[in-house]
Every structure is written in C-alpha cells, then in structure tokens.
Amino acid sequence: MNTPPLASGPEGPSSLRPLLDTVLEALGEGARARGGPLPAGGPGAVADRVRDALGDVLPDDGDPDALRHLVRALAEGAADPADPLCAAHLHCPPLAVAAAADLAVSVLNPSMDSWDQAPAASELEAQVTRALANDVYLDPPRGAGNCATSPHRPDALITTGGTESNQLALLLARETMGPGVRLVCGGNAHHSLPRAAWLLGMPAPVIVPTPDGTLDPAALETLHGPLVIAATAGTTDAGLIDPLPEIADWCAQRGARLHIDAAYGGGLLFSSRHRDRLTGIDTADTVTLDLHKLGWQPVAAGLLAVRDKSDLAALHQRADYLNADDDTEAGLPDLLGRSLRTTRRPDILKIAVTLKTLGRTGLGTLVDQVCERAQEFAQLVHDHPGFELHEPPTISTVLFRPASATDDAVAAVRRKLLTDGRAVLGRARAANRLWLKVTLLNPTTRPADLAGLLKLVEGTTPR
C-alpha cells in the first residue's frame, strides 16, 4: 500500500488541490440536497441519512470516495448559518478569508505549547492578543501620542470560547483574591459562570434575580466579603447589556473584582456607532470575548482579556520538555502559561488575517449591518397586528411571539419549522412567557428575508 499523501511538505499543495476541489463540490452537492436552512425530517431522518453515508466506520479496505460522501452528508445535514432563515443561536456564518486561514493552520499543524512547535505562530499570537487587549482597555487611550502612559498592562489569552474564558476568569479571581472569593452574577448570566465556580471549588455563587433582564447594582448593596462580580454585555437570551459603569463603580467602592462576560457584545468594540454601549468595559479586571460571534470566525475563536497581565502568573506551569529553565533563560518563549490546555492549535491566525484584511472599518460595518437588520425586524414585528415584540433589540437579537398564542403553541411553532427544515429559530423565556428568538449574525440578510421569515412563522402558527 502506498503511503497516503501528506498535507504539508514539498508535495503538500499538489496533494491538497484535488482534495479541496472534492470538498468544495461535495459542500455544494450537500447544500443543494438540503435545500434550506437545515435538513428536513427531524433527528430520526437526519440520523438515518448519516448512517447510510457512513456505513462501516472502520472497513477492512478503505474507500477512496469517503471524503466526498461524508462531506456531502455533513453539508446536507447541516444547519447553515449563512442561510437568512437560520437565526436561532449566536452561531455566525464564517468569513471566507477566515476559513481559508484556518486551512493553513490545519496544514501546518503547529501546537501552541512550546516555541519549537510554533515559532511564528507564538509571536503572531503574542502580538495580536496584546493589540486586542489594548483595544478593550484603550491602552494607550485612542488619540494619545507615543508619550501616553498607562496604569495597567493589558494582555489576552486565546480560548475555545466564552465557557473557557469565564472559567479562566474565575480561576484568576480565586488565585488573586483567595479561595474564599464568592461569585456574584445575575440570573441573566451565562450558565458557564456558576458552573465554573462549582468546578473550581469556590463557595456557592450568589445568583441575583434579574426580573428586568439586567443586573441592578442596587441589588448588590447587602453583599459583603471577597467578591467577584460578573456582569454581562450581551445576554444569551435577549442580547441585553448590564449597566457596566454603575456596576464598575460599586466594585471600586467595595474592593470587589469585576469580570465582564462580553462573549456576544464584545464585537461592538469594532463599531464606532455602537462601541459606547460598552462604556465601562475597560474597568473590568477580566473580559470574555468571542470572535466566533460578532467577529465572523470559524469556531473556535475566544479570548480572555486581562487588565493587568501580572494576574496571568497564576497559570504558570513547568514541564521540562516544554519550558525548561535553561531554555527560557536562553530566550525561548514560555507558552505553557498561556492556556489551561497543552496541545492547542493557533486559532490566532484566522483572527489576525480577518483583522488585517477588513480593518476596524470593515468589521465595524458588519456589526452595524446586523444591528440594523435587527432593528428592521423588530419594526416589522411591532407593526404586524399578529405578533408581539418583547423589547427593541440592544444588539442583534429580537424576541417575538404570535399574539395571543400560548407558550405551548409558541414552542410547537418552533419545532414545526425545525422539523420541516424551513427555519431555525431559538426560544427564550422572558417576562414569564416563552418567546421565539431571532439572532441576526448574517450581514448578507436582506429586508425581504426578514419579511419572509415573519410570514413563515405566521403561516405555521395554529389558528
């Protein structure tokens, strides 16, 4: 048997080119077979098609057409975030330039746990994460000259997403303030925060009720002791932003540590029109960001920004085969304290390529477009007598429901559209009722698509 061709090395490009043609053709075939935002028939039908395409997982003799068959099956059975009617989750259609950069990472296969496995990638990560951290913390303040000084030293780590970033943030809080520090977060906070407190053996968190959807600083008045307050900039259900300046003031007065989970809303930093909604974010000790949301990156592209990189010393580890003392003293960069993971891919490349290709203006325009589409969809709902709008959108999420429908009917509408493969809508509970959720992260969505989505829901609602 001949050795299968490798993706890298001198023959890598010539080996990859026909395979890439196969992948692209199979993606197109699968999308045409799907014919909509997701496959029709529900879980059972999808499972049957996947089993048929897969067959024997590990046959005695290999199948040279496996790549085509399985990519086609995956595409046919995908929920396509590039379809305007696939709008349930914080699940973006990735930019082509970012996906192309991700291919280069897969081909070169660096591992970001030691410099000798990723020489260029380690420097790229250091430069880009520092720049992004400086943007969060405005270091130096925008418009300041070269003589500007800063009271802090921002940095950022690459993570797999908001869950890992939030876990890291609480780990740093525990190591900085001691094992007795208690998490305080709103009922609107992401589930990964109290889960991280449990994983880290921290005291049971204080979950503050958020009947209006955001964390009220007045509700913190009775709390005392070593605390880490977690505010949210872009809730999962409705995209709401907590009053960050007021919460930051409370933390400063009480000596509490502040973490801001901006996994969703952090992308507003790129927009000159919307950045002010994140006023106060630069006061946080740690900030969670996800560029596979309002950054249009392939998963994964998370970050944890820290106001002062000295906090990252808590992550330091020593493994002689990766960061021996004499190697680091000789000038080889130590990467082991840059993550809780050991082997990890350089997800920074796709981020760097996107930032460099689009620039702040290009990314800001995409952010503005999806926010504008959300406003337009909310207006359509508001003007339609058959629907009820929860609230005007804060970012790009809209909650709505058929007027006079029961919660059971709202849930049934969503499942019917999913099973038929016609639309992917989310669900959220607010004001003690169930709502359909539309999260607009596709900048190519047109007003006509929004009108068509509303008409589709209207036609599916039981009379």
Side-chain angles (χ1 to χ4, degrees), residues 112 114-115 117-131 331-333 335 338 344 346 348-349 352:
M112 300 292 292
S114 66
W115 181 87
Q117 298 177 79
S122 63
E123 179 61 21
L124 183 67
E125 182 177 274
Q127 294 288 334
V128 177
T129 52
R130 191 176 306 123
L332 295 185
L335 306 184
R338 302 287 300 176
R344 60 185 181 91
I348 197 63
L349 178 63

Side-chain angles (χ1 to χ4, degrees), residues 213-234:
T214 56
L215 180 60
D216 183 357
L220 307 176
E221 287 299 328
T222 60
L223 301 176
H224 56 84
L227 303 172
V228 53
I229 310 298
T232 304

Side-chain angles (χ1 to χ4, degrees), residues 236-261:
T236 304
D237 278 350
L240 303 179
I241 298 174
D242 288 338
L244 304 182
E246 291 84 355
I247 294 172
D249 287 346
W250 190 94
C251 290
Q253 293 169 16
R254 304 303 201 284
R257 189 174 173 92
L258 175 59
H259 171 63
I260 295 178
D261 180 0

Side-chain angles (χ1 to χ4, degrees), residues 69-364:
H69 292 156
L70 293 182
V71 171
R72 185 191 187 282
L74 191 68
E76 182 180 358
D80 182 7
D83 190 297
L85 301 186
C86 186
H89 301 286
L90 290 164
H91 179 196
C92 71
L95 293 166
V97 70
D102 222 22
L103 171 63
V105 166
S106 295
V107 169
L108 295 170
N109 207 29
S111 181
M112 300 292 292
D113 48 321
S114 66
W115 181 87
D116 58 351
Q117 298 177 79
S122 63
E123 179 61 21
L124 183 67
E125 182 177 274
Q127 294 288 334
V128 177
T129 52
R130 191 176 306 123
L132 288 169
N134 287 341
D135 201 55
V136 172
Y137 290 105
L138 292 178
D139 181 34
R142 193 157 298 148
N146 293 333
C147 62
T149 59
S150 171
H152 47 268
R153 300 175 299 160
D155 202 352
L157 303 180
I158 295 295
T159 71
T160 54
T163 294
E164 184 185 350
S165 293
N166 285 341
Q167 183 178 348
L168 269 172
L170 292 196
L171 174 60
L172 296 180
R174 188 192 72 181
E175 295 304 296
T176 301
M177 302 185 71
V181 63
R182 186 182 299 272
L183 167 68
V184 179
C185 63
N188 63 343
H190 194 265
H191 63 85
S192 62
L193 281 160
R195 189 182 191 192
W198 167 70
L199 284 169
L200 293 167
M202 296 170 64
V206 177
I207 310 297
V208 179
T210 51
D212 296 324
T214 56
L215 180 60
D216 183 357
L220 307 176
E221 287 299 328
T222 60
L223 301 176
H224 56 84
L227 303 172
V228 53
I229 310 298
T232 304
T235 59
T236 304
D237 278 350
L240 303 179
I241 298 174
D242 288 338
L244 304 182
E246 291 84 355
I247 294 172
D249 287 346
W250 190 94
C251 290
Q253 293 169 16
R254 304 303 201 284
R257 189 174 173 92
L258 175 59
H259 171 63
I260 295 178
D261 180 0
Y264 178 11
L268 298 178
L269 291 169
F270 299 122
S271 167
S272 58
R273 185 186 305 177
H274 297 294
R275 183 181 177 114
D276 286 351
R277 297 186 187 186
L278 297 181
T279 296
I281 198 171
D282 57 335
T283 64
D285 295 282
T286 49
V287 177
T288 287
L289 303 170
D290 266 7
L291 296 183
H292 52 240
K293 295 181 173 67
L294 282 180
W296 294 278
Q297 298 299 292
V299 174
L303 295 101
L304 178 72
V306 296
R307 182 177 175 83
D308 194 324
K309 66 180 181 181
S310 64
D311 286 358
L312 299 179
L315 303 179
H316 177 72
Q317 290 288 315
R318 177 67 67 203
D320 195 65
Y321 77 106
L322 295 175
N323 59 351
D325 288 339
D326 57 322
D327 276 349
T328 55
E329 290 169 4
L332 295 185
D334 180 357
L335 306 184
L336 204 52
R338 302 287 300 176
S339 178
L340 292 179
R341 295 169 284 150
T342 303
T343 301
R344 60 185 181 91
R345 69 200 308 269
D347 289 310
I348 197 63
L349 178 63
K350 61 196 175 191
I351 297 172
V353 167
T354 300
L355 297 176
K356 191 74 172 174
T357 301
L358 274 70
R360 183 183 300 278
T361 300
L363 276 169

